[in-house]
Amino acid sequence: MTKTPNSWTRGRVVAPSLLAADFSRLAECVVQLQNAGADWLHLDVMDGCFVPNISFGVPVIAPLRPLTDLPFDCHLMIDNPETYLSDFADAGADHILVHVEATHHLNRCLEMIADLGCKAGVALNPATPIDVLDHVLDQVSLILIMTVNPGFGGQSFIHAMLPKISAMRARIDGRPIRLEVDGGINVETAPLAIAAGADTLVAGSAILGEAPETWGARIKTLRG
Ligand code: DX5
Ligand code: ZN
């Protein structure tokens, strides 16, 4: 186990998800989110196979890169993500998260992400137990616990995920890993997820579903 105290795990992070944006105004939205105090931008890539929805990919992400210095947190909800990792790194991803259910070769995937110079992350669907991560804990910088079944924004937080978040926090055991939650995060559920041990909050509709002039206050409230 590595117990490296570093700035990576310091403080709480709010990562607005662009999935809830007005896609005809993405560029403006990125700038507004930066001005509103977002810590990261969460980019939900969906392939219509791993999840029953198609969102956007590299051709949408790459032109956003010059608009902001915010870290791009790329959540790949795609089958066989290893095929596309270098494309996302080239498009400007800072963090690349793959689903453990979407690859036959998690260990190789995480190595590839690190070799590309990005932070390696792994995401778990609600029904996937945390034990699958036991052998990669020293290879990951981020663990994302899905608090909805992935594929769509605006779903309700699954409260049964709270003990899973606590168990994951205990399993991390001081390692320099951020524990991220994604799905149904709002003013009511964020404090529950934080109390369970999450330190990184993804929020789509709770921020971008509301008027842009309120984004700054909403981000602050979620951060707690
Ligand atoms: C869902 C995505 C989420 C989504 C969250 O599959 O991974 O990042 O944007 O949206 P809200 O916050 O509306 O649940
Ligand atoms: Zn996501």
Side-chain angles (χ1 to χ4, degrees), residues 50-215:
F50 179 68
V51 287
N53 194 11
I54 298 175
S55 58
F56 52 79
V58 162
V60 171
I61 295 174
L64 300 177
R65 183 66 283 181
L67 305 180
T68 177
D69 294 328
L70 291 179
F72 278 7
D73 190 51
C74 291
H75 178 191
L76 303 188
M77 286 162 275
I78 64 176
D79 278 329
N80 303 312
E82 47 274 19
T83 317
Y84 300 100
L85 296 174
S86 61
D87 295 331
F88 284 99
D90 290 346
D94 295 277
H95 318 149
I96 301 181
L97 297 112
V98 297
H99 267 264
V100 67
E101 307 87 358
T103 175
H104 296 297
H105 308 290
L106 180 61
N107 184 284
R108 178 186 294 152
C109 243
L110 295 170
E111 263 175 29
M112 287 171 73
I113 296 170
D115 288 348
L116 288 164
C118 299
K119 298 267 191 205
V122 60
L124 299 186
N125 281 342
T128 304
I130 64 169
D131 305 17
V132 293
L133 300 184
D134 279 354
H135 302 286
V136 295
L137 283 178
D138 291 321
Q139 266 186 286
V140 292
S141 300
L142 298 126
I143 293 173
L144 189 162
I145 304 285
M146 286 305 304
T147 42
V148 299
N149 284 286
F152 303 94
Q155 303 182 78
S156 299
F157 184 86
I158 301 173
H159 282 76
M161 293 300 103
L162 290 169
K164 184 176 175 182
I165 297 165
S166 309
M168 193 67 249
R169 169 53 67 198
R171 204 70 68 91
I172 286 173
D173 190 23
R175 292 178 178 83
I177 298 173
R178 294 208 72 100
L179 182 53
E180 189 168 6
V181 284
D182 183 6
I185 299 296
N186 56 34
V187 282
E188 279 92 41
T189 56
L192 305 177
I194 289 168
D199 57 21
T200 304
L201 308 166
V202 175
S205 33
I207 299 172
L208 288 106
E210 307 291 340
E213 51 283 9
T214 68
W215 292 353

